[in-house]
PDB file of all heavy atoms in Angstrom:
ATOM      1  N   GLY A   1       5.850   7.375   5.922  1.00 66.00           N
ATOM      2  CA  GLY A   1       4.990   8.427   5.407  1.00 66.00           C
ATOM      3  C   GLY A   1       3.865   7.845   4.573  1.00 66.00           C
ATOM      4  O   GLY A   1       3.602   6.634   4.586  1.00 66.00           O
ATOM      5  N   ASP A   2       3.182   8.700   3.811  1.00 69.00           N
ATOM      6  CA  ASP A   2       2.123   8.213   2.944  1.00 69.00           C
ATOM      7  C   ASP A   2       2.730   7.457   1.761  1.00 69.00           C
ATOM      8  O   ASP A   2       3.942   7.465   1.534  1.00 69.00           O
ATOM      9  CB  ASP A   2       1.258   9.372   2.464  1.00 69.00           C
ATOM     10  CG  ASP A   2       2.072  10.401   1.700  1.00 69.00           C
ATOM     11  OD1 ASP A   2       2.655  11.299   2.355  1.00 69.00           O
ATOM     12  OD2 ASP A   2       2.154  10.301   0.470  1.00 69.00           O
ATOM     13  N   TYR A   3       1.879   6.799   0.985  1.00 73.00           N
ATOM     14  CA  TYR A   3       2.352   5.912  -0.080  1.00 73.00           C
ATOM     15  C   TYR A   3       3.161   6.663  -1.131  1.00 73.00           C
ATOM     16  O   TYR A   3       4.230   6.203  -1.551  1.00 73.00           O
ATOM     17  CB  TYR A   3       1.152   5.224  -0.732  1.00 73.00           C
ATOM     18  CG  TYR A   3       1.531   4.210  -1.790  1.00 73.00           C
ATOM     19  CD1 TYR A   3       1.936   2.935  -1.436  1.00 73.00           C
ATOM     20  CD2 TYR A   3       1.484   4.537  -3.146  1.00 73.00           C
ATOM     21  CE1 TYR A   3       2.292   2.003  -2.396  1.00 73.00           C
ATOM     22  CE2 TYR A   3       1.837   3.618  -4.117  1.00 73.00           C
ATOM     23  CZ  TYR A   3       2.239   2.349  -3.739  1.00 73.00           C
ATOM     24  OH  TYR A   3       2.610   1.432  -4.693  1.00 73.00           O
ATOM     25  N   ALA A   4       2.682   7.826  -1.561  1.00 78.00           N
ATOM     26  CA  ALA A   4       3.385   8.586  -2.589  1.00 78.00           C
ATOM     27  C   ALA A   4       4.766   9.028  -2.111  1.00 78.00           C
ATOM     28  O   ALA A   4       5.754   8.955  -2.859  1.00 78.00           O
ATOM     29  CB  ALA A   4       2.547   9.793  -3.008  1.00 78.00           C
ATOM     30  N   SER A   5       4.883   9.467  -0.864  1.00 76.00           N
ATOM     31  CA  SER A   5       6.176   9.902  -0.329  1.00 76.00           C
ATOM     32  C   SER A   5       7.144   8.736  -0.241  1.00 76.00           C
ATOM     33  O   SER A   5       8.338   8.876  -0.548  1.00 76.00           O
ATOM     34  CB  SER A   5       5.986  10.549   1.043  1.00 76.00           C
ATOM     35  OG  SER A   5       5.129  11.667   0.967  1.00 76.00           O
ATOM     36  N   ARG A   6       6.645   7.551   0.173  1.00 80.00           N
ATOM     37  CA  ARG A   6       7.525   6.390   0.271  1.00 80.00           C
ATOM     38  C   ARG A   6       8.037   5.965  -1.100  1.00 80.00           C
ATOM     39  O   ARG A   6       9.222   5.673  -1.276  1.00 80.00           O
ATOM     40  CB  ARG A   6       6.799   5.220   0.937  1.00 80.00           C
ATOM     41  CG  ARG A   6       6.391   5.455   2.370  1.00 80.00           C
ATOM     42  CD  ARG A   6       6.177   4.158   3.116  1.00 80.00           C
ATOM     43  NE  ARG A   6       5.378   3.193   2.405  1.00 80.00           N
ATOM     44  CZ  ARG A   6       4.049   3.152   2.407  1.00 80.00           C
ATOM     45  NH1 ARG A   6       3.373   4.083   3.072  1.00 80.00           N
ATOM     46  NH2 ARG A   6       3.390   2.221   1.746  1.00 80.00           N
ATOM     47  N   MET A   7       7.151   5.935  -2.095  1.00 84.00           N
ATOM     48  CA  MET A   7       7.571   5.525  -3.428  1.00 84.00           C
ATOM     49  C   MET A   7       8.582   6.510  -4.011  1.00 84.00           C
ATOM     50  O   MET A   7       9.533   6.115  -4.684  1.00 84.00           O
ATOM     51  CB  MET A   7       6.359   5.414  -4.352  1.00 84.00           C
ATOM     52  CG  MET A   7       5.398   4.304  -3.970  1.00 84.00           C
ATOM     53  SD  MET A   7       6.166   2.667  -3.887  1.00 84.00           S
ATOM     54  CE  MET A   7       6.165   2.392  -2.105  1.00 84.00           C
ATOM     55  N   GLN A   8       8.395   7.785  -3.759  1.00 84.00           N
ATOM     56  CA  GLN A   8       9.349   8.775  -4.238  1.00 84.00           C
ATOM     57  C   GLN A   8      10.718   8.588  -3.584  1.00 84.00           C
ATOM     58  O   GLN A   8      11.754   8.682  -4.242  1.00 84.00           O
ATOM     59  CB  GLN A   8       8.811  10.186  -3.973  1.00 84.00           C
ATOM     60  CG  GLN A   8       9.692  11.299  -4.518  1.00 84.00           C
ATOM     61  CD  GLN A   8       9.107  12.669  -4.256  1.00 84.00           C
ATOM     62  OE1 GLN A   8       8.032  12.787  -3.655  1.00 84.00           O
ATOM     63  NE2 GLN A   8       9.785  13.703  -4.702  1.00 84.00           N
ATOM     64  N   GLY A   9      10.729   8.304  -2.293  1.00 85.00           N
ATOM     65  CA  GLY A   9      11.991   8.058  -1.612  1.00 85.00           C
ATOM     66  C   GLY A   9      12.661   6.783  -2.098  1.00 85.00           C
ATOM     67  O   GLY A   9      13.891   6.741  -2.277  1.00 85.00           O
ATOM     68  N   TYR A  10      11.870   5.724  -2.315  1.00 85.00           N
ATOM     69  CA  TYR A  10      12.439   4.477  -2.824  1.00 85.00           C
ATOM     70  C   TYR A  10      13.037   4.678  -4.219  1.00 85.00           C
ATOM     71  O   TYR A  10      14.095   4.103  -4.531  1.00 85.00           O
ATOM     72  CB  TYR A  10      11.369   3.385  -2.877  1.00 85.00           C
ATOM     73  CG  TYR A  10      10.885   2.928  -1.528  1.00 85.00           C
ATOM     74  CD1 TYR A  10       9.591   2.424  -1.364  1.00 85.00           C
ATOM     75  CD2 TYR A  10      11.699   2.999  -0.402  1.00 85.00           C
ATOM     76  CE1 TYR A  10       9.139   1.994  -0.130  1.00 85.00           C
ATOM     77  CE2 TYR A  10      11.248   2.575   0.837  1.00 85.00           C
ATOM     78  CZ  TYR A  10       9.969   2.073   0.972  1.00 85.00           C
ATOM     79  OH  TYR A  10       9.519   1.651   2.189  1.00 85.00           O
ATOM     80  N   ALA A  11      12.341   5.448  -5.062  1.00 86.00           N
ATOM     81  CA  ALA A  11      12.849   5.685  -6.410  1.00 86.00           C
ATOM     82  C   ALA A  11      14.192   6.409  -6.370  1.00 86.00           C
ATOM     83  O   ALA A  11      15.121   6.070  -7.114  1.00 86.00           O
ATOM     84  CB  ALA A  11      11.823   6.482  -7.215  1.00 86.00           C
ATOM     85  N   THR A  12      14.304   7.395  -5.501  1.00 87.00           N
ATOM     86  CA  THR A  12      15.585   8.109  -5.382  1.00 87.00           C
ATOM     87  C   THR A  12      16.691   7.180  -4.897  1.00 87.00           C
ATOM     88  O   THR A  12      17.816   7.197  -5.417  1.00 87.00           O
ATOM     89  CB  THR A  12      15.422   9.285  -4.410  1.00 87.00           C
ATOM     90  OG1 THR A  12      14.379  10.152  -4.879  1.00 87.00           O
ATOM     91  CG2 THR A  12      16.716  10.072  -4.277  1.00 87.00           C
ATOM     92  N   ALA A  13      16.377   6.345  -3.894  1.00 87.00           N
ATOM     93  CA  ALA A  13      17.384   5.423  -3.374  1.00 87.00           C
ATOM     94  C   ALA A  13      17.761   4.373  -4.404  1.00 87.00           C
ATOM     95  O   ALA A  13      18.932   3.990  -4.530  1.00 87.00           O
ATOM     96  CB  ALA A  13      16.851   4.752  -2.111  1.00 87.00           C
ATOM     97  N   ARG A  14      16.787   3.900  -5.173  1.00 86.00           N
ATOM     98  CA  ARG A  14      17.051   2.874  -6.186  1.00 86.00           C
ATOM     99  C   ARG A  14      17.911   3.428  -7.322  1.00 86.00           C
ATOM    100  O   ARG A  14      18.851   2.777  -7.792  1.00 86.00           O
ATOM    101  CB  ARG A  14      15.719   2.369  -6.731  1.00 86.00           C
ATOM    102  CG  ARG A  14      15.829   1.292  -7.794  1.00 86.00           C
ATOM    103  CD  ARG A  14      16.192  -0.010  -7.175  1.00 86.00           C
ATOM    104  NE  ARG A  14      15.985  -1.117  -8.107  1.00 86.00           N
ATOM    105  CZ  ARG A  14      16.818  -2.125  -8.263  1.00 86.00           C
ATOM    106  NH1 ARG A  14      17.930  -2.179  -7.553  1.00 86.00           N
ATOM    107  NH2 ARG A  14      16.550  -3.103  -9.103  1.00 86.00           N
ATOM    108  N   GLN A  15      17.619   4.627  -7.766  1.00 83.00           N
ATOM    109  CA  GLN A  15      18.335   5.209  -8.898  1.00 83.00           C
ATOM    110  C   GLN A  15      19.738   5.666  -8.540  1.00 83.00           C
ATOM    111  O   GLN A  15      20.576   5.798  -9.426  1.00 83.00           O
ATOM    112  CB  GLN A  15      17.536   6.392  -9.457  1.00 83.00           C
ATOM    113  CG  GLN A  15      16.214   5.995 -10.082  1.00 83.00           C
ATOM    114  CD  GLN A  15      15.374   7.195 -10.452  1.00 83.00           C
ATOM    115  OE1 GLN A  15      15.868   8.325 -10.448  1.00 83.00           O
ATOM    116  NE2 GLN A  15      14.104   6.960 -10.772  1.00 83.00           N
ATOM    117  N   ASN A  16      19.993   5.868  -7.259  1.00 83.00           N
ATOM    118  CA  ASN A  16      21.311   6.320  -6.847  1.00 83.00           C
ATOM    119  C   ASN A  16      22.162   5.201  -6.242  1.00 83.00           C
ATOM    120  O   ASN A  16      23.242   5.462  -5.707  1.00 83.00           O
ATOM    121  CB  ASN A  16      21.192   7.465  -5.851  1.00 83.00           C
ATOM    122  CG  ASN A  16      20.737   8.752  -6.518  1.00 83.00           C
ATOM    123  OD1 ASN A  16      21.525   9.493  -7.106  1.00 83.00           O
ATOM    124  ND2 ASN A  16      19.433   9.023  -6.448  1.00 83.00           N
ATOM    125  N   GLY A  17      21.659   3.981  -6.289  1.00 84.00           N
ATOM    126  CA  GLY A  17      22.490   2.839  -5.996  1.00 84.00           C
ATOM    127  C   GLY A  17      22.700   2.485  -4.548  1.00 84.00           C
ATOM    128  O   GLY A  17      23.578   1.673  -4.246  1.00 84.00           O
ATOM    129  N   TRP A  18      21.934   3.040  -3.616  1.00 83.00           N
ATOM    130  CA  TRP A  18      22.155   2.673  -2.222  1.00 83.00           C
ATOM    131  C   TRP A  18      21.019   1.845  -1.636  1.00 83.00           C
ATOM    132  O   TRP A  18      21.005   1.559  -0.447  1.00 83.00           O
ATOM    133  CB  TRP A  18      22.433   3.895  -1.356  1.00 83.00           C
ATOM    134  CG  TRP A  18      21.408   4.992  -1.388  1.00 83.00           C
ATOM    135  CD1 TRP A  18      21.320   5.999  -2.295  1.00 83.00           C
ATOM    136  CD2 TRP A  18      20.335   5.194  -0.461  1.00 83.00           C
ATOM    137  NE1 TRP A  18      20.256   6.823  -1.993  1.00 83.00           N
ATOM    138  CE2 TRP A  18      19.643   6.358  -0.866  1.00 83.00           C
ATOM    139  CE3 TRP A  18      19.895   4.527   0.675  1.00 83.00           C
ATOM    140  CZ2 TRP A  18      18.538   6.853  -0.189  1.00 83.00           C
ATOM    141  CZ3 TRP A  18      18.804   5.014   1.359  1.00 83.00           C
ATOM    142  CH2 TRP A  18      18.137   6.164   0.917  1.00 83.00           C
ATOM    143  N   MET A  19      20.063   1.399  -2.473  1.00 89.00           N
ATOM    144  CA  MET A  19      19.055   0.424  -2.081  1.00 89.00           C
ATOM    145  C   MET A  19      18.795  -0.510  -3.253  1.00 89.00           C
ATOM    146  O   MET A  19      18.715  -0.078  -4.405  1.00 89.00           O
ATOM    147  CB  MET A  19      17.733   1.101  -1.657  1.00 89.00           C
ATOM    148  CG  MET A  19      17.779   1.820  -0.327  1.00 89.00           C
ATOM    149  SD  MET A  19      16.150   2.374   0.236  1.00 89.00           S
ATOM    150  CE  MET A  19      15.489   0.824   0.839  1.00 89.00           C
ATOM    151  N   SER A  20      18.672  -1.799  -2.943  1.00 89.00           N
ATOM    152  CA  SER A  20      18.317  -2.789  -3.955  1.00 89.00           C
ATOM    153  C   SER A  20      16.814  -3.034  -3.937  1.00 89.00           C
ATOM    154  O   SER A  20      16.089  -2.522  -3.061  1.00 89.00           O
ATOM    155  CB  SER A  20      19.067  -4.093  -3.694  1.00 89.00           C
ATOM    156  OG  SER A  20      18.621  -4.687  -2.482  1.00 89.00           O
ATOM    157  N   ALA A  21      16.353  -3.861  -4.878  1.00 89.00           N
ATOM    158  CA  ALA A  21      14.926  -4.186  -4.910  1.00 89.00           C
ATOM    159  C   ALA A  21      14.514  -4.926  -3.653  1.00 89.00           C
ATOM    160  O   ALA A  21      13.430  -4.696  -3.090  1.00 89.00           O
ATOM    161  CB  ALA A  21      14.614  -5.011  -6.158  1.00 89.00           C
ATOM    162  N   ASN A  22      15.382  -5.810  -3.160  1.00 89.00           N
ATOM    163  CA  ASN A  22      15.043  -6.556  -1.945  1.00 89.00           C
ATOM    164  C   ASN A  22      15.057  -5.668  -0.708  1.00 89.00           C
ATOM    165  O   ASN A  22      14.298  -5.908   0.239  1.00 89.00           O
ATOM    166  CB  ASN A  22      16.019  -7.717  -1.761  1.00 89.00           C
ATOM    167  CG  ASN A  22      15.664  -8.904  -2.652  1.00 89.00           C
ATOM    168  OD1 ASN A  22      14.538  -8.998  -3.136  1.00 89.00           O
ATOM    169  ND2 ASN A  22      16.624  -9.785  -2.879  1.00 89.00           N
ATOM    170  N   ASP A  23      15.931  -4.660  -0.677  1.00 89.00           N
ATOM    171  CA  ASP A  23      15.913  -3.719   0.445  1.00 89.00           C
ATOM    172  C   ASP A  23      14.565  -3.014   0.534  1.00 89.00           C
ATOM    173  O   ASP A  23      13.988  -2.849   1.619  1.00 89.00           O
ATOM    174  CB  ASP A  23      17.036  -2.693   0.292  1.00 89.00           C
ATOM    175  CG  ASP A  23      18.416  -3.320   0.413  1.00 89.00           C
ATOM    176  OD1 ASP A  23      18.516  -4.387   1.051  1.00 89.00           O
ATOM    177  OD2 ASP A  23      19.371  -2.749  -0.136  1.00 89.00           O
ATOM    178  N   ILE A  24      14.066  -2.608  -0.634  1.00 87.00           N
ATOM    179  CA  ILE A  24      12.773  -1.914  -0.663  1.00 87.00           C
ATOM    180  C   ILE A  24      11.638  -2.869  -0.324  1.00 87.00           C
ATOM    181  O   ILE A  24      10.721  -2.540   0.440  1.00 87.00           O
ATOM    182  CB  ILE A  24      12.559  -1.274  -2.046  1.00 87.00           C
ATOM    183  CG1 ILE A  24      13.648  -0.224  -2.319  1.00 87.00           C
ATOM    184  CG2 ILE A  24      11.173  -0.653  -2.157  1.00 87.00           C
ATOM    185  CD1 ILE A  24      13.631   0.329  -3.718  1.00 87.00           C
ATOM    186  N   ARG A  25      11.685  -4.071  -0.860  1.00 87.00           N
ATOM    187  CA  ARG A  25      10.627  -5.046  -0.614  1.00 87.00           C
ATOM    188  C   ARG A  25      10.595  -5.473   0.855  1.00 87.00           C
ATOM    189  O   ARG A  25       9.528  -5.751   1.407  1.00 87.00           O
ATOM    190  CB  ARG A  25      10.820  -6.264  -1.519  1.00 87.00           C
ATOM    191  CG  ARG A  25      10.662  -5.955  -2.988  1.00 87.00           C
ATOM    192  CD  ARG A  25      10.975  -7.166  -3.855  1.00 87.00           C
ATOM    193  NE  ARG A  25       9.940  -8.177  -3.751  1.00 87.00           N
ATOM    194  CZ  ARG A  25       8.844  -8.231  -4.509  1.00 87.00           C
ATOM    195  NH1 ARG A  25       8.647  -7.293  -5.441  1.00 87.00           N
ATOM    196  NH2 ARG A  25       7.954  -9.185  -4.361  1.00 87.00           N
ATOM    197  N   GLU A  26      11.747  -5.496   1.502  1.00 81.00           N
ATOM    198  CA  GLU A  26      11.772  -5.832   2.924  1.00 81.00           C
ATOM    199  C   GLU A  26      11.096  -4.751   3.756  1.00 81.00           C
ATOM    200  O   GLU A  26      10.356  -5.050   4.696  1.00 81.00           O
ATOM    201  CB  GLU A  26      13.216  -6.019   3.383  1.00 81.00           C
ATOM    202  CG  GLU A  26      13.331  -6.445   4.847  1.00 81.00           C
ATOM    203  CD  GLU A  26      14.759  -6.658   5.280  1.00 81.00           C
ATOM    204  OE1 GLU A  26      15.669  -6.398   4.465  1.00 81.00           O
ATOM    205  OE2 GLU A  26      14.977  -7.079   6.427  1.00 81.00           O
ATOM    206  N   LEU A  27      11.319  -3.479   3.399  1.00 80.00           N
ATOM    207  CA  LEU A  27      10.668  -2.391   4.117  1.00 80.00           C
ATOM    208  C   LEU A  27       9.167  -2.386   3.894  1.00 80.00           C
ATOM    209  O   LEU A  27       8.403  -1.937   4.755  1.00 80.00           O
ATOM    210  CB  LEU A  27      11.267  -1.047   3.686  1.00 80.00           C
ATOM    211  CG  LEU A  27      12.726  -0.791   4.088  1.00 80.00           C
ATOM    212  CD1 LEU A  27      13.208   0.529   3.492  1.00 80.00           C
ATOM    213  CD2 LEU A  27      12.883  -0.772   5.596  1.00 80.00           C
ATOM    214  N   GLU A  28       8.720  -2.864   2.736  1.00 80.00           N
ATOM    215  CA  GLU A  28       7.291  -2.917   2.431  1.00 80.00           C
ATOM    216  C   GLU A  28       6.660  -4.250   2.815  1.00 80.00           C
ATOM    217  O   GLU A  28       5.516  -4.511   2.455  1.00 80.00           O
ATOM    218  CB  GLU A  28       7.078  -2.647   0.935  1.00 80.00           C
ATOM    219  CG  GLU A  28       7.361  -1.216   0.521  1.00 80.00           C
ATOM    220  CD  GLU A  28       6.418  -0.220   1.162  1.00 80.00           C
ATOM    221  OE1 GLU A  28       5.190  -0.479   1.196  1.00 80.00           O
ATOM    222  OE2 GLU A  28       6.906   0.816   1.656  1.00 80.00           O
ATOM    223  N   ASP A  29       7.425  -5.094   3.528  1.00 74.00           N
ATOM    224  CA  ASP A  29       6.933  -6.394   3.994  1.00 74.00           C
ATOM    225  C   ASP A  29       6.483  -7.269   2.825  1.00 74.00           C
ATOM    226  O   ASP A  29       5.408  -7.883   2.842  1.00 74.00           O
ATOM    227  CB  ASP A  29       5.778  -6.200   4.982  1.00 74.00           C
ATOM    228  CG  ASP A  29       5.532  -7.449   5.832  1.00 74.00           C
ATOM    229  OD1 ASP A  29       6.449  -8.279   5.919  1.00 74.00           O
ATOM    230  OD2 ASP A  29       4.425  -7.590   6.379  1.00 74.00           O
ATOM    231  N   MET A  30       7.323  -7.345   1.797  1.00 83.00           N
ATOM    232  CA  MET A  30       7.059  -8.170   0.624  1.00 83.00           C
ATOM    233  C   MET A  30       8.108  -9.276   0.544  1.00 83.00           C
ATOM    234  O   MET A  30       9.174  -9.191   1.152  1.00 83.00           O
ATOM    235  CB  MET A  30       7.079  -7.322  -0.653  1.00 83.00           C
ATOM    236  CG  MET A  30       6.068  -6.189  -0.654  1.00 83.00           C
ATOM    237  SD  MET A  30       6.283  -5.043  -2.043  1.00 83.00           S
ATOM    238  CE  MET A  30       5.872  -6.103  -3.408  1.00 83.00           C
ATOM    239  N   ASN A  31       7.810 -10.322  -0.215  1.00 87.00           N
ATOM    240  CA  ASN A  31       8.735 -11.438  -0.371  1.00 87.00           C
ATOM    241  C   ASN A  31       9.960 -11.003  -1.176  1.00 87.00           C
ATOM    242  O   ASN A  31       9.873 -10.152  -2.066  1.00 87.00           O
ATOM    243  CB  ASN A  31       8.050 -12.619  -1.058  1.00 87.00           C
ATOM    244  CG  ASN A  31       6.956 -13.222  -0.195  1.00 87.00           C
ATOM    245  OD1 ASN A  31       7.034 -13.176   1.031  1.00 87.00           O
ATOM    246  ND2 ASN A  31       5.940 -13.794  -0.837  1.00 87.00           N
ATOM    247  N   MET A  32      11.109 -11.650  -0.884  1.00 87.00           N
ATOM    248  CA  MET A  32      12.360 -11.295  -1.540  1.00 87.00           C
ATOM    249  C   MET A  32      12.422 -11.889  -2.960  1.00 87.00           C
ATOM    250  O   MET A  32      11.817 -12.920  -3.248  1.00 87.00           O
ATOM    251  CB  MET A  32      13.549 -11.808  -0.735  1.00 87.00           C
ATOM    252  CG  MET A  32      13.659 -11.243   0.681  1.00 87.00           C
ATOM    253  SD  MET A  32      14.013  -9.486   0.746  1.00 87.00           S
ATOM    254  CE  MET A  32      12.378  -8.840   1.173  1.00 87.00           C
ATOM    255  N   LEU A  33      13.159 -11.227  -3.823  1.00 87.00           N
ATOM    256  CA  LEU A  33      13.439 -11.723  -5.166  1.00 87.00           C
ATOM    257  C   LEU A  33      14.761 -12.485  -5.154  1.00 87.00           C
ATOM    258  O   LEU A  33      15.661 -12.197  -4.368  1.00 87.00           O
ATOM    259  CB  LEU A  33      13.507 -10.567  -6.165  1.00 87.00           C
ATOM    260  CG  LEU A  33      12.239  -9.721  -6.330  1.00 87.00           C
ATOM    261  CD1 LEU A  33      12.505  -8.570  -7.293  1.00 87.00           C
ATOM    262  CD2 LEU A  33      11.077 -10.564  -6.816  1.00 87.00           C
ATOM    263  N   SER A  34      14.892 -13.430  -6.051  1.00 88.00           N
ATOM    264  CA  SER A  34      16.127 -14.205  -6.137  1.00 88.00           C
ATOM    265  C   SER A  34      17.212 -13.381  -6.828  1.00 88.00           C
ATOM    266  O   SER A  34      16.946 -12.342  -7.443  1.00 88.00           O
ATOM    267  CB  SER A  34      15.870 -15.499  -6.899  1.00 88.00           C
ATOM    268  OG  SER A  34      15.480 -15.202  -8.241  1.00 88.00           O
ATOM    269  N   ASP A  35      18.448 -13.893  -6.762  1.00 85.00           N
ATOM    270  CA  ASP A  35      19.548 -13.203  -7.439  1.00 85.00           C
ATOM    271  C   ASP A  35      19.375 -13.227  -8.952  1.00 85.00           C
ATOM    272  O   ASP A  35      19.782 -12.284  -9.647  1.00 85.00           O
ATOM    273  CB  ASP A  35      20.881 -13.859  -7.055  1.00 85.00           C
ATOM    274  CG  ASP A  35      21.235 -13.629  -5.593  1.00 85.00           C
ATOM    275  OD1 ASP A  35      20.700 -12.657  -5.012  1.00 85.00           O
ATOM    276  OD2 ASP A  35      22.025 -14.420  -5.028  1.00 85.00           O
ATOM    277  N   GLU A  36      18.777 -14.312  -9.474  1.00 84.00           N
ATOM    278  CA  GLU A  36      18.550 -14.370 -10.914  1.00 84.00           C
ATOM    279  C   GLU A  36      17.574 -13.295 -11.379  1.00 84.00           C
ATOM    280  O   GLU A  36      17.643 -12.820 -12.510  1.00 84.00           O
ATOM    281  CB  GLU A  36      18.013 -15.758 -11.310  1.00 84.00           C
ATOM    282  CG  GLU A  36      19.018 -16.890 -11.183  1.00 84.00           C
ATOM    283  CD  GLU A  36      19.211 -17.317  -9.737  1.00 84.00           C
ATOM    284  OE1 GLU A  36      18.406 -16.874  -8.880  1.00 84.00           O
ATOM    285  OE2 GLU A  36      20.162 -18.080  -9.454  1.00 84.00           O
ATOM    286  N   GLU A  37      16.659 -12.925 -10.518  1.00 85.00           N
ATOM    287  CA  GLU A  37      15.688 -11.879 -10.849  1.00 85.00           C
ATOM    288  C   GLU A  37      16.213 -10.477 -10.546  1.00 85.00           C
ATOM    289  O   GLU A  37      15.495  -9.492 -10.729  1.00 85.00           O
ATOM    290  CB  GLU A  37      14.390 -12.111 -10.078  1.00 85.00           C
ATOM    291  CG  GLU A  37      13.673 -13.393 -10.454  1.00 85.00           C
ATOM    292  CD  GLU A  37      12.482 -13.683  -9.551  1.00 85.00           C
ATOM    293  OE1 GLU A  37      12.647 -13.640  -8.316  1.00 85.00           O
ATOM    294  OE2 GLU A  37      11.393 -13.944 -10.082  1.00 85.00           O
ATOM    295  N   GLY A  38      17.441 -10.389 -10.071  1.00 84.00           N
ATOM    296  CA  GLY A  38      18.032  -9.082  -9.805  1.00 84.00           C
ATOM    297  C   GLY A  38      17.611  -8.448  -8.508  1.00 84.00           C
ATOM    298  O   GLY A  38      17.663  -7.221  -8.362  1.00 84.00           O
TER     299      GLY A  38
END
């Protein structure tokens, strides 16, 4: 969807524990974070 809709969906998934930061970054084609960075 558009950027605002995607961010809203990611926020809901992040706050409810079924997506990590790397899960979201992978969908947005971004580099992964290390385990030390959470």
Side-chain angles (χ1 to χ4, degrees):
D2 59 274
Y3 184 81
S5 301
R6 296 202 313 275
M7 294 304 109
Q8 184 179 0
Y10 292 152
T12 302
R14 180 75 166 138
Q15 294 172 12
N16 288 278
W18 55 275
M19 288 189 78
S20 67
N22 281 342
D23 294 336
I24 298 172
R25 295 175 72 88
E26 183 179 4
L27 293 175
E28 290 296 315
D29 199 20
M30 301 171 66
N31 294 330
M32 299 293 104
L33 299 177
S34 63
D35 292 338
E36 291 77 11
E37 296 173 310

